[in-house]
Structures are given as structure tokens and as C-alpha cells.
Amino acid sequence: MDIKIGLADTQRELSIKLPEGQENVIATVEQAIDSGAATFKLEDDKGHVYLIRTERVLYVEQGSAAARSVGFMR
């Protein structure tokens, strides 16, 4: 599953490919912001860990886990 996080003061967004079974990422980010935590961590499918400051998060976009088919269908 792909997730994109828009951060303040940057034109680029942070794109992370998450391993299967992490459908609750938006809830994790929302809980970190609501609780007043300074940071939260996300780990991608290759084991890279991202430490993100909650005050810099503008938006979170969660993509679908299903692969899209390419080509022509009959």
C-alpha cells in the first residue's frame, strides 16, 4: 500500500510504500497529532524508518493495496 504525506514548507510530498497489513496508518498519524506527540514513525516495506514531525504534516493520502491492471480487456 502506498501513502503520501504532504509536509509544510516543501513542494514535494513524502511517498512511502508500506508492507501489507498496515491499513491503519491514517489512524496512527491522527492519534499522534491529537495526542500532541512531537513525532511519529513509519517503516516502509524495505525496512527504512521515517521519523516525521507532526507539526509539519499538512495532509495524508492513502492509496489502495490492490494492483491495477494494465492493457486492453475484451
Side-chain angles (χ1 to χ4, degrees):
M1 171 187 349
D2 296 325
I3 188 166
K4 295 179 183 177
I5 301 174
L7 301 170
D9 299 329
T10 182
Q11 295 177 354
R12 297 187 64 169
E13 57 195 10
L14 178 61
S15 297
I16 303 172
K17 185 168 180 71
L18 299 174
E20 295 295 322
Q22 290 195 3
E23 288 78 24
N24 59 352
V25 173
I26 291 181
T28 302
V29 174
E30 188 175 32
Q31 181 182 7
I33 292 171
D34 288 343
S35 68
T39 60
F40 65 95
K41 290 182 191 179
L42 293 177
E43 184 174 347
D44 69 5
D45 60 349
K46 295 181 181 178
H48 299 115
V49 177
Y50 298 86
L51 183 63
I52 303 162
R53 291 176 48 190
T54 54
E55 66 184 29
R56 310 307 289 169
V57 175
L58 297 177
Y59 66 88
V60 177
E61 179 183 326
Q62 183 174 350
S64 89
R68 294 184 285 174
S69 62
V70 177
F72 296 99
M73 302 280 301
R74 287 189 170 190

